[in-house]
Amino acid sequence: MKGAIFTGFAEYAEQEFGLTAWLKALDNCELSSNGEYLATELYDDSEFNIIIDALSAIVDSDREHLLRGYGEHFFPVLMSLGISLVKDIDNLFDFMRAVDNVIHIEVQKSDPLAYTPTLLYDQPQNNLLVVRYMSHRKMCHFAEGLILGAATHFNQKASISQSKCMCKGDDHCLIRVEV
Ligand code: HEM
């Protein structure tokens, strides 16, 4: 996983829970990187899970909640990288389609070592988009947070739930986004 995801998480954790809690969590982790990350380097996915679990124990907040909160916090950072690709889009659902069809494709082109999830879309009703999330990283709750961050960006209210989840043993996640 890209170092930027780790440095972004450190920033979120410090801001949300304070420096003391964050340092305490890091102290409880055995990390081959020693907890030092460069944004463009690749680090083992397992380090991210170790850090999340350690913080979860310190701040008494579950993994899902932390990942969702982090996604919401991190959305503006990611958006600043991809904004030129989607400058004509003015609503959440069109933007969501562009994430898989344009943004993540460009991410892969410019950095073949980057790994982004597969997102497929189904819109059964005008106000409902069902996003099928597939990734060996099982970061669907991070995706939920990013979607909430995107809704804020487009000044839309969105409610999110999952009817299938890889974290519960399903082979993909179905993230329902209702506006
Ligand atoms: C609501 C919008 C978005 C969603 C739902 C989404 C989803 C995700 C998720 C869940 C991951 C974690 C990796 C995984 O699950 O396998 C990820 C990684 C990533 N996404 Fe997106 N994303 C969104 C917007 C963006 C935007 C705007 C950019 C801008 C360039 C972007 C670039 C990236 C990059 C660089 C990574 C890290 C790749 C790596 O670690 O190798 N995403 N995305």
Side-chain angles (χ1 to χ4, degrees):
M1 194 180 296
K2 285 277 161 190
I5 305 283
F6 288 85
T7 54
F9 187 74
E11 197 187 282
Y12 160 72
E14 261 185 64
Q15 195 173 307
E16 191 70 20
F17 305 106
L19 183 61
T20 312
W22 171 239
L23 292 178
K24 206 167 158 193
L26 269 189
D27 238 23
N28 291 346
C29 299
E30 277 203 25
L31 304 167
S32 41
S33 69
N34 280 328
E36 290 160 14
Y37 302 100
L38 293 174
T40 52
E41 293 291 312
L42 276 182
Y43 299 89
D44 204 306
D45 291 355
S46 63
E47 290 215 356
F48 193 70
N49 292 326
I50 293 171
I51 292 172
I52 292 255
D53 289 344
L55 183 66
S56 169
I58 298 282
V59 300
D60 198 21
S61 179
D62 62 33
R63 180 188 161 79
E64 296 177 6
H65 183 84
L66 291 177
L67 277 169
R68 199 178 294 114
Y70 173 38
E72 216 168 338
H73 167 95
F74 199 57
F75 179 79
V77 178
L78 277 181
M79 190 59 179
S80 67
L81 304 173
I83 192 122
S84 60
L85 301 167
V86 289
K87 57 180 181 331
D88 296 330
I89 292 182
D90 65 357
N91 69 85
L92 179 63
F93 288 178
D94 286 348
F95 173 77
M96 286 309 303
R97 289 190 187 88
V99 173
D100 197 72
N101 300 341
V102 181
I103 295 178
H104 282 168
I105 288 177
E106 291 304 317
V107 167
Q108 298 287 345
K109 274 192 207 158
S110 61
D111 182 356
L113 290 179
Y115 174 89
T116 54
T118 299
L119 304 170
L120 302 172
Y121 309 97
D122 181 28
Q123 189 170 0
Q125 292 165 30
N126 274 349
N127 66 334
L128 176 66
L129 187 75
V130 182
V131 182
R132 180 186 290 238
Y133 166 95
M134 284 170 284
S135 164
H136 70 263
R137 287 186 180 149
K138 300 185 184 171
M139 288 176 74
C140 53
H141 298 99
F142 178 57
E144 283 188 17
L146 288 172
I147 297 169
L148 290 171
T152 303
H153 175 87
F154 291 106
N155 281 321
Q156 285 180 263
K157 277 209 172 106
S159 60
I160 298 207
S161 59
Q162 286 197 56
S163 53
K164 280 189 176 200
C165 183
M166 295 174 89
C167 305
K168 292 184 176 148
D170 293 314
D171 63 2
H172 62 269
C173 303
L174 287 181
I175 306 174
R176 293 169 58 88
V177 187
E178 213 168 331
V179 293

